[in-house]
Amino acid sequence: MVGAAEDTDFREWLRPRWIGGLLNLLAVAAAGGAYMLSAEAGISHGGRRILLLALGAALTGVVVLCGALKQIRDARRIRGAAQIAVDAEEALGTALNGAFAPITSYLGEMGDASGRSSRATIAGKLRQAVVEAAVLLTAPDARSAFYRADSHRTRLTREAYAGRSTLPRDEFVRGTDDGDVVLDLVDRGDLVYIEDTDADPLVIPSTEGDYRTVIAVAVTAGAQRLGMLTVDATDVGELSQIDVELVRVLANLLGSGLVQAT
């Protein structure tokens, strides 16, 4: 137990970032001192020469010790970084499984459902599972919403929402600047990624400063245009191209489920 405690104390002593610089500095200083002492010993005699050689050997030992300590420290840091990577990979796998499991389950139920009412109930669960997955798998403060398109594609109405406590806007209507933009996006079956909403005059958050980056993807099933899936976050660039592809996949899954409910 004492040995384990001492080893823990030793590892803690090696942990600070400045320790690496100190070890390098000591190694350089010791190597320089050993060189100077060996040079002085070469022109000395008797006891003085022996003393200088002994001191030079001691400084050489310090150089070796500093190098060994630095190797131990670097090896521990590499193992630590590797463990962090493993933990992050496991966490990502858990998050993906947790996010996609209910979606795939609802898609399976949709295929087996016989009545229109039953399919509509499952579709509601699917919509909620998709927006929750979009929040879970993107930014820490993300918010996601699904907007259903009406039959004439003149209006998008919010049907599901997850994430931050502030509600997304209720609807987009054709004939308004932002309504025309997003309804055209749905018509084209397209997507948009805006890294900074302040730099895009067509994006007007319903509450000023509510979000600074946004992804919007049309939810489609073949030629059918069903609506739009959005994800936004509060900081500029908090959503990335990786998030764009993820939201696209979620929108496709949602579209394949919703078209079975109609």
Side-chain angles (χ1 to χ4, degrees), residues 2-260:
V2 174
E6 289 176 348
D7 182 61
T8 300
D9 291 342
F10 175 69
R11 283 183 292 176
E12 290 299 320
W13 182 82
L14 287 176
R15 189 183 299 276
R17 186 173 298 180
W18 58 268
I19 288 294
L22 177 62
L23 290 173
N24 286 336
L25 182 62
L26 288 174
V28 171
Y35 172 78
M36 294 177 64
L37 288 173
S38 64
E40 184 67 20
I43 57 175
S44 300
H45 303 281
R48 175 179 169 80
R49 184 171 186 272
I50 293 173
L51 177 61
L52 292 172
L53 288 173
L55 290 174
L59 288 177
T60 301
V62 170
V63 175
V64 174
L65 177 62
C66 287
L69 289 174
K70 193 168 186 305
Q71 286 184 345
I72 292 172
R73 179 177 181 273
D74 291 345
R76 291 187 184 280
R77 291 182 67 189
I78 290 171
R79 285 199 298 272
Q83 186 59 50
I84 289 171
V86 169
D87 292 344
E89 184 177 355
E90 290 179 353
L92 177 59
T94 301
L96 287 170
N97 288 335
F100 281 101
I103 294 173
T104 54
S105 175
Y106 293 140
L107 288 173
E109 291 179 29
M110 188 75 76
D112 292 335
S114 56
R116 184 181 181 88
S117 175
S118 176
R119 290 196 298 272
T121 299
I122 298 169
K125 295 178 181 179
L126 176 63
R127 289 193 295 268
Q128 192 60 40
V130 165
V131 294
E132 289 176 358
V135 168
L136 178 64
L137 297 175
T138 55
D141 63 346
R143 181 180 63 177
S144 178
F146 167 68
Y147 293 85
R148 164 80 75 168
D150 66 357
S151 58
H152 301 291
R153 292 207 291 272
T154 59
R155 186 182 303 268
L156 292 169
T157 304
R158 190 185 75 233
E159 288 193 345
Y161 145 78
R164 300 192 309 278
S165 58
T166 53
L167 287 173
R169 65 190 301 166
D170 294 329
E171 62 182 9
F172 293 90
V173 180
R174 194 176 294 280
T176 61
D177 290 340
D178 52 359
D180 287 344
V181 169
V182 296
L183 281 158
D184 181 59
L185 178 146
V186 172
D187 287 341
R188 290 182 284 109
D190 206 351
L191 64 83
V192 65
Y193 165 50
I194 298 173
E195 188 173 11
D196 182 1
T197 58
D198 283 0
D200 194 318
L202 292 178
V203 178
I204 306 172
S206 52
T207 302
E208 186 176 356
D210 192 30
Y211 59 89
R212 291 292 303 277
T213 181
V214 62
I215 299 167
V217 181
V219 176
T220 64
Q224 296 191 51
R225 303 297 185 248
L226 304 173
M228 178 178 68
L229 180 65
T230 68
V231 180
D232 62 57
T234 55
D235 293 331
V236 174
E238 197 172 357
L239 299 173
S240 68
Q241 279 296 149
I242 294 175
D243 296 319
V244 172
E245 296 307 316
L246 176 64
V247 177
R248 190 207 300 264
V249 169
L250 290 172
N252 289 340
L253 290 172
L254 180 56
S256 66
L258 293 181
V259 74
Q260 296 180 58

